Amino acid sequence: MKKERILVTGGTGYIGSHTVVELQQAGYSVVIIDNLSNSNISVLDGIERITGIRPDFVEGDCTDIDTLRKLFTDYPGIKGIINFAASKAVGESMQKPILYYRNNLDTLLNLLDLMGPEGVKGIVFSSSCTVYGEPDVNPVTEKSPIKKATSPYGNTKQISEEIITDVIAAGAPFKAILLRYFNPVGAHPSAEIGELPNGVPQNLIPYLTQTAIGIRKELSVFGNDYDTPDGSCIRDYINVVDLAKAHVIAVERMLTDKSEAPVEIFNLGTGNGVSVLELINTFEEATGVKVPHKIVGRRAGDIEKVWADPTYANEVLGWKAEASLADTMRSAWAWQQRLRERGVM
Ligand code: UD1
């Protein structure tokens, strides 16, 4: 039984909470810090119902270094950090760039600043396929060119990758693994935790499940005139539990000195490109529930098509996306129904 303590920043959020479950089930002891700006404290109950263990929790903001200093004092022996604490809405980042740069970069700088003195061996950073922009060739590998970011959100991911690389090149006594997520979707199979966006969802799946249950009248499909087989955009939708498992492997790799380089980068996707219209069909077939939808104009800033070549993660991490898209859609639907049962929405 491993007992090392792992700090999960943003651990009550969507990907964070699923990762906490997988860490606990792998025997790690977890402390979460979250400012609850885009998540709810009741997520801790969901985690506890799944694993039987309530993770340690600090309500606080990682942009405040004194809060982090106190956390390291109160919870000694943290050996790894997984950093999910960040703002993530592309559109909002266009309106509030300073908030995005401050939140995402100050958090990272504070963590990097404290890791050495606190004896933390490694950090896993949540990056994004957004760093590839509109790729010239699909699927994208880790060696595909990085394109100029099209939003402050995307830029914070690029800059964060560079900051981590620079800090480690300067001799920092820890390692890093940068995980470039494609489109995380679905929920835990228990339906105890899932995605819970504030307000009107911007992302496809929460909008789709809210439409299926009747909260939204219809789903808008943003464009059917792209250069794709059915004209709608193509993404690589990766099950959130599969994604969470990759974080446990990454932590383990750094803590057991298996990293092949001080900074490693992995794409986390399925390798399958799926269009918006295909995704709606898969949801309807998997759940038997119709999703009213209409084609509208393109959304500004959308990428036409991007999907992963996950070979490197498959071979080096021994990780592979396993869930079928149909099962993933059923999990998203079960979660939406659970929210209804609980009277959340
Ligand atoms: C975006 C970001 C990604 C970020 C993610 C998290 C880019 C290029 N991508 O992903 O980096 O991590 O948000 O917030 O900046 N769609 C509809 N109708 C809807 C909503 C979405 O048709 O109501 C379509 C979109 O046009 C897109 C697909 O569904 O083709 C997925 O959209 P979304 O879930 O918002 O994710 P991305 O834009 O791919």
Side-chain angles (χ1 to χ4, degrees):
M1 186 89 166
K2 306 174 217 71
K3 278 292 174 207
E4 282 129 323
R5 182 171 259 163
I6 308 298
L7 172 62
V8 181
T9 75
T12 51
Y14 174 44
I15 306 172
S17 57
H18 290 81
T19 300
V20 170
V21 165
E22 297 303 317
L23 283 168
Q24 290 185 328
Q25 289 180 335
Y28 288 102
S29 152
V30 175
V31 52
I32 293 173
I33 179 167
D34 202 299
N35 64 6
L36 302 178
S37 63
N38 195 23
S39 61
N40 194 285
I41 191 77
S42 65
V43 169
L44 298 179
D45 302 329
I47 293 171
E48 188 176 0
R49 279 196 290 269
I50 298 169
T51 65
I53 305 163
R54 197 169 184 84
D56 289 320
F57 177 74
V58 173
E59 183 175 346
D61 202 309
C62 299
T63 59
D64 179 30
I65 198 161
D66 291 330
T67 300
L68 287 174
R69 281 208 180 90
K70 182 167 184 322
L71 185 152
F72 278 109
T73 307
D74 293 347
Y75 298 93
I78 290 169
K79 288 285 169 262
I81 297 176
I82 308 183
N83 180 28
F84 295 106
S87 303
K88 62 167 187 177
V90 176
E92 185 188 44
S93 79
M94 309 274 208
Q95 314 299 324
K96 301 177 181 168
I98 295 177
L99 174 87
Y100 272 68
Y101 286 114
R102 234 191 242 299
N103 206 10
N104 295 5
L105 300 181
D106 281 354
T107 291
L108 178 66
L109 289 168
N110 285 343
L111 292 170
L112 294 174
D113 215 358
L114 295 177
M115 282 177 71
E118 296 293 343
V120 183
K121 292 182 75 172
I123 182 166
V124 181
F125 179 73
S126 306
S127 190
S128 167
C129 68
T130 195
V131 302
Y132 301 117
E134 181 77 63
D136 302 323
V137 180
N138 274 296
V140 292
T141 73
E142 292 78 359
K143 295 199 164 68
S144 296
I146 302 294
K147 298 279 180 70
K148 185 173 165 37
T150 53
S151 70
Y153 159 79
N155 208 20
T156 67
K157 294 297 174 194
Q158 292 190 3
I159 295 170
S160 295
E161 289 196 356
E162 289 172 1
I163 290 174
I164 292 169
T165 306
D166 287 347
V167 167
I168 289 184
F174 51 80
K175 296 195 162 57
I177 294 184
L178 317 181
L179 299 179
R180 292 180 179 157
Y181 311 153
F182 285 67
N183 285 54
V185 293
H188 195 269
S190 65
E192 292 289 356
I193 54 173
E195 188 169 10
L196 188 51
N198 283 337
V200 180
Q202 306 298 312
N203 294 115
L204 179 58
I205 291 301
Y207 205 105
L208 185 157
T209 57
Q210 289 190 13
T211 306
I213 210 161
I215 298 169
R216 315 272 159 212
K217 202 166 127 275
E218 62 189 348
L219 171 70
S220 296
V221 175
F222 297 139
N224 68 345
D225 57 351
Y226 285 99
D227 182 19
T228 61
D230 66 22
S232 64
C233 291
I234 294 179
R235 296 287 183 276
D236 185 336
Y237 295 95
I238 165 88
N239 179 283
V240 67
V241 175
D242 280 338
L243 189 72
K245 287 179 177 162
H247 294 73
V248 179
I249 296 171
V251 162
E252 180 106 31
R253 186 172 172 83
M254 291 187 290
L255 266 50
T256 55
D257 297 315
K258 301 261 167 55
S259 300
E260 287 165 10
V263 182
E264 294 183 307
I265 302 177
F266 298 97
N267 282 343
L268 295 183
T270 66
N272 300 319
V274 173
S275 77
V276 177
L277 292 171
E278 283 172 335
L279 192 71
I280 295 170
N281 274 337
T282 305
F283 179 91
E284 290 183 335
E285 277 173 18
T287 63
V289 180
K290 286 282 168 206
V291 183
H293 59 277
K294 63 167 181 219
I295 310 289
V296 301
R298 293 181 177 197
R299 180 171 70 175
D302 261 340
I303 301 291
E304 180 171 272
K305 45 182 181 270
V306 58
W307 66 95
D309 179 343
T311 308
Y312 189 56
N314 296 165
E315 289 178 354
V316 175
L317 294 181
W319 169 90
K320 201 169 187 319
E322 277 166 3
S324 71
L325 192 57
D327 281 343
T328 302
M329 291 300 103
R330 277 188 281 270
S331 73
W333 180 232
W335 167 243
Q336 185 68 61
Q337 290 173 297
R338 182 66 58 87
L339 290 173
R340 171 60 53 85
E341 284 158 28
R342 289 189 192 153
V344 178
M345 60 171 60

